């Protein structure tokens, strides 16, 4: 059994039991974004969190142990994603990538937005012309330093 | 002369003249995100906008005409970006892509977040532990329909 | 069991039982294009539709549940398809891609044809010189908006 | 000078002179789809057509000669297109490719839709919920024969 | 069971039973080129042909059914083949590709040689300096038409 | 100046002067297949041949010298060709590659068909249902030897 | 069972039984280079050789039959090898490839060194500064011929 | 001017002046293999060698200076070479790569053959059945060490 | 069973038993860097080391034998790594690669840092602004030699 | 003029004038590692640093301005580097990548070593068996945080 197997067990159990990610997050006591990423094999749970997740999805002890080990990250099967929902995010980088770069450098100088010290919030934004997906990302700016 | 040449002329003029994207945006009367993307060859200006941009950067008439034509979009030289700032966004999709998918489908059902009817706002988020980059994305949800 | 397994079960049952896609579509009550895409793992059925599909192909309850979950889309094993029938569509994009772009922009301005709010109809077009495949595609035009 | 240079000359002249593809097609006396593809370097004009195109865009004699030579076809810079409009067509193949295959084989047996003996028509489809792009494709069915 | 499994069953049975492709072709009543391609999962047999093939290789009923379904074609594991025999054909295209193109266009005008309405014959060509492989290909010329 | 430049000079001169490959071949005194490949930068001419080619196309002395140097071979810009005529040959390998392999090995044992000690002949094959492209390939069989 | 499975059986048996390739070669009566390549699935054994190999590694009859069938060649999992020992050979081609080409053409004219009518010998070359790997390659020169 | 330009100057001058690599090597006083690699931009000459090379090919002072700078190595335009002569070496690695690995490890243990402390000699091997290319490679064995 | 299976057994046992790599290294008597690489399938253990590793993780005899065979090296599933921790090292090469090259050549002349006669030490570097990862690499310089 | 042009100007001037990177670094007052990376187009100089660099290499004002703008980073022409010196670093990641990951996670938990808040020092390590390249890397550890 490896972490990938644990992800598949969680995904299957979720469908069978009709569990919602938002409810899992509430029981774990953290944001739905982070908890879902963890359940999908991208984050590391501590012992208590892993036990909670294990109970929710009915996982065996070995799976609960694996949830506490740092996984090899990367959740997509190809460099350019084929799924339309995920591709749209890739397209945003393709089209707006240099814009992100120019504006962040204009505001902060040389450096990056951290993808580690990072958090994010996804919510529904009601709108008469059709509801909108609203995503707020917040990552620490890390400047390149001279030495 | 093609649109790529126009982008290079704008980038060069901006450095020589010390112009800020935020100021260009103010003169054009739109957000700095959209205007910068347009100056970098990803969006189409109307006549008045193009004329303003042409004046700011001292572009010839042919370049101003090209700003009004829909460009072949895509701003990055490789499928996996090599620039560290832009790579971090690619990494976010790689790590969080399936999370985006699960949470948006849980909230909205089958469909996507539009990358066309889309807007975004980037700002500095002051923070004692180091300022943060804050990005808000808002895209219309487009459901798959049966037929 | 995952969605891929369900697709393989459907494909196998269809051959064994000699079922036609057009008949499946009629029983589901939707177009043959959308229903076939769903059976091949690209669309999400609602409960009633999934139950019908399950009965037609003799699927177990777990498979019927999976038909109601949004799948990771993308039906081809390689970026450039090797199957001659499917390759011809890829070739059309390779040869006519920039033509699509020019004509749609000339008619509509900057934006795209939606691949989500989209429908399509494939039928036989009798012709003395050899029958023809006739495909009508209809997708909502989504304009880029300034902001 | 090669065919690519001719395409760039046409594209530049079209912007400078504000010419519409539909008008070029009318003067050439063929569909706007085929004529645009030819102007973008994908089709071969005969002498009379090439002369007309040359006059419209003000091309030198060498360019007019090149328009009459079969070009190396393929209009896109990458295997997976980066331009959002063109990508949507690629996505349709990615998502619907096996559906095309199943339905065409169900209707016609083993074979392909020709991309050579092929024609297409793109038009605006007015719609209260937002106008739609309507594309009709018609290609001869070519059966695999035993021998 | 899928078509790939059927191919593996045929390949294994052929070795175990010491069957020759030429003999299979004779029993099926068609060329050895087409029949071998069919046995290797690239062509579709009709009922009678499939039954004959099934008897020769001792295939179960499910496999015989699968032989009558149009397969997803493409017989090689990589875009550039690694097997030396097959690579030589790829090299011929790499070296002679533009020559094929020039000569066929000089003779026929713009269009292609069909790979569907196509037949081929491979035979030994005795030669004092070492026997030669002789391959005759014959494909219908398909002209691009204006419309 | 390099060999590529010479190829472009030949291609341009051929169009300007309306020269046919078959006539070039006649003057050089070899097959049209080999001579065209040479003119397109894939073969090495001897002094007399190069001089003839130089006269026909009006090449400068430096170009005539370059025609006598072994070129870096490979005439296509991408691993999978985008031009429809050339792609059809690639498709034949993709679909029939393992068939070539089986039949040649059945006839000759382990080894390859040479792509060096190789010749080919392309001609028009008149046919009431549409003329056909007829290509005869003949390559020496080279057996793998044990040692 | 396929040839790959046979290779894995040989590799496993060799480790378990502590067999040396040089000894296998001696029993087969051929060079260690060719015999090892055959055991690793790249060459075709005749009946007697296959029987010997089968006895040495304790292979079942089906595996012995498979050793006598021409395999799909190519022993590496990626186009650019990741194993440091094998990569060094790839690096030699990357750095010295054009040198090989120039020197062989200077000596022999246009043509290639055969990789089929080819043999090779690997031995230890004692050296005070550290022993060296000594590899002698010998392949027939095959000239391109005009026709 | 960069090193690539120097390589092109050498290649052009060599053709124009009819110089042989073997003669260049004699004048430089080293092997033809190393000197050719250096002239093709893969090795670094010292001052005296560079001056000699500069005289032979009539290079300007700036080019002679560049010959003394370590170049970015790698002489081929694609990961899988398209030139038939160079491809054959790549094929040898593809087919014999794992054989090299097994035999060198059997003889020397874990480690590699150096591609840096390496030399090679290419010569003609007369043979009644057709002359052969004979290449002797000698590279220091470098063992992995534990620490 | 192959070396990959052994790696998976070790990884699983380590999690189940809560073993630390540093402790494994201490029992084997070598650095934690080399021992971990060996346990992850990149290095070759001698008999005594393999026995120790086997005891620690409870491996069967066959696995212990496999630990003593040179593995096919390369520990990552893609050419560009997706895991953020490992990607950062790839990014360092992408950004600093030419800097490494310039500085090593300035100090040592033409040649490389060995990745075989190489050792490395990773430790925690306490720091008030956040602890740092400290890695010391030491590889023998190997000069290119003329011959 | 773009940053790439500036890099080429610096590289050319350095060779012509025989300047050492270590001396440039001394005049700029920072480490040779950072300054070389900056001169090669990977870092951003402030006004004073840029002026110093401009004087050393004799750069025009426009180039000095460009040195103060954040560049698009990434210094290598291919995803897998072909230069042997740089490849060795890539090989270290390929072989030791999962080892880095295991040991850093064992010491620090889930997170990464920063490639931004990072410094490095390269020096010669004298050694009787051949001098060694010694590289010390120090990057801040950045932990993934829950939220």
């Amino acid at each position: 059994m490896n972490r990938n197997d644990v992800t598949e067990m969680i995904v299957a159990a979720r469908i069978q039991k009709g569990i919602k990610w938002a409810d899992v997050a509430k029981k774990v006591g953290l944001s739905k974004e982070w908890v879902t990423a963890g359940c999908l094999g991208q984050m590391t749970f501590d012992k208590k969190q892993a036990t909670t997740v294990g109970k929710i999805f009915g996982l065996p002890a070995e799976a609960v142990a694996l949830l506490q080990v740092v996984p090899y990250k990367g959740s997509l099967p190809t460099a350019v994603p084929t799924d339309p929902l995920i591709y749209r995010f890739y397209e945003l980088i393709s089209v707006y990538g240099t814009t992100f770069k120019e504006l962040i450098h204009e505001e902060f100088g040389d450096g990056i937005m951290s993808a580690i010290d990072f958090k994010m919030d996804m919510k529904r934004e009601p709108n008469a012309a059709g509801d909108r997906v609203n995503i707020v990302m917040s990552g620490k700016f890390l400047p390149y330093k001279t030495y």
Side-chain angles (χ1 to χ4, degrees), chain A:
Chain A
M1 192 191 292
N2 57 33
R3 184 68 183 263
N4 228 38
D5 299 324
V6 180
T7 299
E8 294 204 354
M9 290 167 70
I10 289 177
V11 167
R14 183 175 157 273
I15 293 167
Q16 295 299 83
K17 309 191 170 185
I19 300 167
K20 284 195 165 299
W21 294 118
D23 294 335
V24 179
K26 222 169 286 172
K27 282 180 191 157
V28 174
L30 290 165
S31 71
K32 68 182 180 308
E33 287 76 12
W34 191 90
V35 171
T36 306
C39 289
L40 295 174
Q42 304 298 316
M43 298 292 159
T44 315
F45 291 102
D46 66 21
K47 193 160 191 180
K48 202 181 140 195
Q49 295 161 347
T51 310
T52 306
V53 170
K55 264 187 214 150
I56 296 171
F57 295 107
L59 304 176
E62 195 179 346
V64 171
L66 274 159
L67 287 173
Q68 304 172 48
V69 177
V70 183
Y72 187 92
K73 297 181 171 75
S75 67
L76 303 175
T78 47
V80 178
T82 62
D83 185 85
L85 183 139
I86 299 176
Y87 181 80
R88 292 309 181 274
F89 289 93
Y90 181 79
E91 182 177 308
L92 288 174
I93 296 176
S94 175
V95 172
Y96 282 107
T98 49
T99 298
F100 288 158
K101 189 171 167 63
E102 289 290 330
L103 293 178
I104 293 176
H105 290 327
E106 181 162 304
E107 179 67 35
F108 290 92
D110 198 354
I112 63 159
M113 178 183 82
S114 182
I116 308 296
D117 187 341
F118 172 86
K119 63 186 175 190
M120 137 179 103
D121 185 48
M122 194 285 296
K123 62 172 188 285
R124 179 188 283 264
E125 183 187 317
N127 187 305
D131 284 5
R132 301 177 74 85
V133 179
N134 184 292
I135 296 175
V136 182
M137 296 174 159
S138 163
K140 191 178 178 182
F141 180 75
L142 304 178
Y144 272 98
K145 288 168 189 167
T146 57
Y147 55 90

